[in-house]
Amino acid sequence: MRLKHLAIFAAVAVGGLSVPAMAYDTPPELMMVVPPAPKGKGLVVFYRSASIFGAAISCAVSENDKKISSMGVGRYFVYAAEPGKHSFSVSSEAKDQVTLELEADEVQYVGCRIKMGIMAGRPDLFPAKEADFRGNKKLSLSDPKSYGEGVLKPEEIATLAGVTVTTPAAAH
Amino acid sequence: MTRAFLRLAVCCLALPSGILFAQDASSGPVQATPRVVPALTPVRIEILEAQGSAISKPDAHFPIRLVDPVLLDGKTIIPAGATGEGEVVHAKKSSMSGGPGELILAARWLDVNGHQVRLRSMHLSENGKSSIKDVNRIMIASAATVPVAAMLGWFMKGKEVVVPSGTYAEAKLAADFSVEP
């Protein structure tokens, strides 16, 4: 029992001490929904699996040092941008970056995971495929309060995907 | 009988002139319509130079070749073997703590009779085998028992991505490609 507690403590503490406030309840109709890209734009779905390791660390994704949004455990968000090369980064005690070629009317996927660091866990961005994203049974949208420019809001996702939301979202 | 011959004669004279009239009204000078291979037509290309997360550099270019000809109405529009260029979009070596190598390649263009036909959507994006989960398990287990041993996981690396020369990949034409008939 003691070992189990120590292991959980180690897994969470690796990420640091601050717990991000990510308690946005996604309407059930929008769980794992990825809409088609708005006309002429490319979409990137950023997601983070529901792993306990480094749970206290948030994946805060930026482009050109401008924050796009952040994700807690088991969350995702959808970013729309002009076609072309885009470099996205996350940083903690070290910076990690992934560059994508966005194509008009296409969707790409980027995962975020926490690697072991020296003092704290390190967020790591990696190119992923739709199957990797769908391999996560339940991912919720990240909190719209953390959305920067270009991130699709839940109501925009619903409109583009043609989904009718009957359950109002709630934030705790 | 004579009337019947007369009617036939009138018809024979009128028919060709009617056809001629129809042609005159519809065309004027005859213009050839260019044949168009539409944008997003899939093409299969071959990567002619080995790429890898440990050896490729972002923004570097590499040679490619069209594997199957692009056909339109059964005629070859772009022949198999047409050469072109691809580009390394993202390359990252495997890293400590089990991070795998990452590689994203894009097809840029094919040379067709001196013209660059732009390509897109070559989704050859590969990640090496990640050891991050193994490292994390080691780290969690050892932190609970022998904390110093947790640091050993930090030195584990993930696997690199290797794309050998001769690898096939799918791409698409980025725009309509017109050919004079």
Side-chain angles (χ1 to χ4, degrees):
Chain A
M1 194 64 182
R2 181 177 161 269
L3 280 180
K4 189 181 172 188
H5 285 153
L6 275 172
I8 292 171
F9 172 77
V12 175
V14 152
L17 299 175
S18 64
V19 178
M22 288 289 174
Y24 168 76
D25 280 349
T26 303
E29 297 91 342
L30 291 182
M31 294 282 274
M32 302 288 289
V33 169
V34 175
K39 186 81 180 153
K41 294 217 171 188
L43 281 191
V44 189
V45 177
F46 291 91
Y47 72 93
R48 180 175 172 187
S49 302
S51 164
I52 187 176
F53 190 84
I57 286 203
S58 174
C59 276
V61 182
S62 303
E63 182 176 17
N64 300 325
D65 295 325
K66 196 174 170 186
K67 186 181 167 187
I68 297 173
S69 187
S70 52
M71 291 173 287
V73 169
R75 300 275 172 171
Y76 76 102
F77 67 86
V78 184
Y79 179 62
E82 295 300 324
K85 272 189 192 176
H86 291 261
S87 290
F88 304 103
S89 61
V90 283
S91 56
S92 57
E93 64 176 28
K95 187 176 181 180
D96 187 50
Q97 183 173 298
V98 65
T99 303
L100 301 180
E101 176 91 10
L102 296 197
E103 308 276 14
D105 310 321
E106 286 187 4
V107 182
Q108 296 192 49
Y109 294 82
V110 171
C112 182
R113 61 193 160 203
I114 306 299
K115 287 198 312 184
M116 178 187 169
I118 296 174
M119 297 301 292
R122 296 176 177 180
D124 179 62
L125 289 179
F126 60 97
K129 296 185 168 65
E130 184 179 4
D132 302 323
F133 172 75
R134 298 284 168 204
N136 296 275
K137 295 284 181 287
K138 278 186 180 178
L139 293 180
S140 306
L141 286 167
S142 58
D143 191 341
K145 285 179 196 158
S146 71
Y147 290 0
E149 196 179 334
V151 181
L152 298 182
K153 296 181 180 67
E155 53 271 25
E156 291 175 307
I157 292 175
T159 304
L160 285 166
V163 173
T164 307
V165 177
T166 53
T167 319
H172 306 286
Chain B
M1 191 67 178
T2 316
R3 280 187 182 173
F5 270 117
L6 281 172
R7 278 181 193 159
L8 184 63
V10 168
C11 283
C12 288
L13 286 170
L15 191 60
S17 61
I19 291 169
L20 287 172
F21 178 77
Q23 280 180 338
D24 289 344
S26 63
S27 56
V30 178
Q31 283 193 338
T33 316
R35 290 178 296 167
V36 177
V37 184
L40 304 182
T41 296
V43 293
R44 189 147 63 124
I45 58 119
E46 179 184 3
I47 293 165
L48 298 177
E49 201 172 80
Q51 302 296 315
S53 53
I55 57 172
S56 298
K57 303 282 180 213
D59 302 325
H61 292 184
F62 56 86
I64 61 173
R65 178 169 59 198
L66 184 66
V67 176
D68 304 316
V70 177
L71 305 173
L72 188 64
D73 300 329
K75 289 188 176 176
T76 298
I77 304 298
I78 306 177
T83 54
E85 202 169 81
E87 186 180 333
V88 180
V89 175
H90 174 73
K92 191 174 98 174
K93 292 178 186 176
S94 66
S95 56
M96 298 293 190
S97 302
E102 299 166 3
L103 185 66
I104 300 178
L105 306 176
R108 288 290 179 231
W109 52 264
L110 286 171
D111 186 335
V112 182
N113 300 325
H115 296 284
Q116 289 187 357
V117 177
R118 287 190 303 115
L119 301 175
R120 58 171 279 182
S121 306
M122 186 185 101
H123 292 302
L124 189 67
S125 156
E126 297 293 333
N127 297 337
K129 186 177 180 298
S130 169
S131 301
I132 289 178
K133 280 186 180 172
D134 298 334
V135 169
N136 289 352
R137 281 192 201 110
I138 291 169
M139 190 270 169
I140 290 169
S142 53
T145 51
V146 191
V148 178
M151 293 308 292
L152 291 175
W154 201 77
F155 294 102
M156 282 178 68
K157 281 189 166 187
K159 295 274 188 293
E160 299 290 357
V161 180
V162 178
V163 176
S165 173
T167 299
Y168 288 174
E170 306 295 326
K172 294 174 181 171
L173 297 187
D176 289 349
F177 178 58
S178 302
V179 191
E180 294 303 324

